Amino acid sequence: MITFALPGFEPLLSAAVSVRSRLPIERFPNGELTLRLKSEVEGESCVVIGSVAPPDEQLLALLLTADTLERHGVTAITALLPYLGYARQDKLKRGRSLGIAWLGRLLSSCGIGHVVTIDVHSPHVAGLLELPLRSLSPASVFAAELNEAELLDAALVAPDEGALQRCQSVAEAAGIEAPVSYLRKRRTSAGVAHGEVVGPLNARAVIVDDILDTGQTLVSCCRELQRRGVEDITVMVTHGLFTGEAWKKLRTLGVSRIYTTDTVPSATRAASEGVRLLSVRPLIEGLQPV
Ligand code: R5P
């Protein structure tokens, strides 16, 4: 087995595999990507590690790599994509793109046979991707930190009903018996708004979600919790995209701790701005290709 890491993912590589190879991806002066393999791959099964973030750059590098490996005779390609971009486009709406199905077509067409990810956005993504998909749960990583940071007495809160199962998995992994809660969320012309809380709250809350992108969802969620008397808020998100500046309002609101994982390079960068970085390496250690 040979494992390749897209640029930015080399640190995860050492956790996942015994045989490693860096990917010498370069650009021609006009911006086109080019790749020259440095080892023989014929007859091997391969894992390519990367995330679909930033989408244009990383996705193209992934597709070019898979296509090159296939043309050089590998027997199987597994894409280990800790963050599976486009998964939020998982509903066919009139006139709108169905990004995750499109992504599935692209991956298959370049020879990728299996996808492994972490904390996929929704359960029905697998069917739309039309590729065997395994999603690893980060619950044990978050649970260990809840214990370490002495947050086991905080109320676990999902920012919407869709995130409830994710939140429950963290509670189970942490041995928290208190029921988890969620907020009712609605989209408005101004963005996201939160209302009624279903389930118990106390003075401390930990919000668990899959993605922090612009931060709009969590800012709205935090405001609502504070309105309801929560004094100490911790945020735990699997994929820290940190797009733009709006997420920094979490700090202005007095959020005590923001945790994310190293599934995307942007998360590592945010660590220099006080975001606490947890590693998903324990989840992928010893992972074998299918
Ligand atoms: C929504 O369903 C997702 O789970 C995230 O809550 C959302 O995508 C986060 O986006 P943003 O940070 O831009 O509000």
Side-chain angles (χ1 to χ4, degrees), residues 88 121 159-160 163 166 185 187 192 209-218 247:
R88 283 179 288 177
H121 178 62
D160 56 43
R166 176 174 294 113
K185 181 180 91 175
R187 302 244 166 228
V192 176
D209 203 3
D210 60 336
I211 301 168
L212 189 162
D213 189 351
T214 62
Q216 197 186 34
T217 303
L218 291 181
W247 67 272

Side-chain angles (χ1 to χ4, degrees), residues 112-132:
I112 291 170
H114 295 85
V115 178
V116 180
T117 190
I118 293 173
D119 202 1
V120 71
H121 178 62
S122 67
H124 58 282
V125 160
L128 293 165
L129 200 64
E130 292 189 16
L131 273 172

Side-chain angles (χ1 to χ4, degrees), residues 9-175:
F9 286 86
E10 290 86 354
L12 283 176
L13 186 68
S14 59
V17 285
S18 47
V19 183
R20 306 160 202 173
S21 188
R22 283 172 193 277
L23 266 180
I25 295 182
E26 291 171 1
R27 284 189 189 272
F28 287 129
N30 70 348
E32 291 169 14
L33 291 173
T34 182
L35 162 67
R36 181 183 295 207
L37 297 172
K38 288 197 169 155
S39 50
E40 281 301 319
V41 293
E42 190 171 348
E44 299 278 355
S45 61
C46 295
V47 177
V48 184
I49 303 180
S51 275
V52 187
D56 295 353
E57 198 179 306
Q58 289 280 349
L59 179 56
L60 283 182
L62 171 68
L63 296 174
L64 181 67
T65 302
D67 184 80
T68 308
L69 292 172
E70 193 186 36
R71 288 178 197 282
H72 286 77
V74 303
T75 54
I77 306 171
T78 297
L80 170 53
L81 308 175
Y83 170 64
L84 186 63
Y86 288 97
R88 283 179 288 177
Q89 291 187 49
D90 60 351
K91 291 180 193 71
L92 187 56
K93 295 178 188 157
R94 192 177 169 80
R96 304 285 298 270
S97 57
L98 187 59
I100 192 64
W102 167 75
L103 179 69
R105 276 194 192 182
L106 290 176
L107 299 181
S108 304
S109 72
C110 292
I112 291 170
H114 295 85
V115 178
V116 180
T117 190
I118 293 173
D119 202 1
V120 71
H121 178 62
S122 67
H124 58 282
V125 160
L128 293 165
L129 200 64
E130 292 189 16
L131 273 172
L133 174 71
R134 185 170 161 207
S135 176
L136 309 171
S137 167
S140 57
V141 174
F142 288 155
E145 188 57 32
L146 287 177
N147 193 21
E148 180 73 25
E150 300 185 355
L151 286 165
L152 294 175
D153 62 338
L156 290 194
V157 179
D160 56 43
E161 199 171 357
L164 193 53
Q165 182 54 52
R166 176 174 294 113
C167 210
Q168 271 159 350
S169 303
V170 175
E172 273 164 38

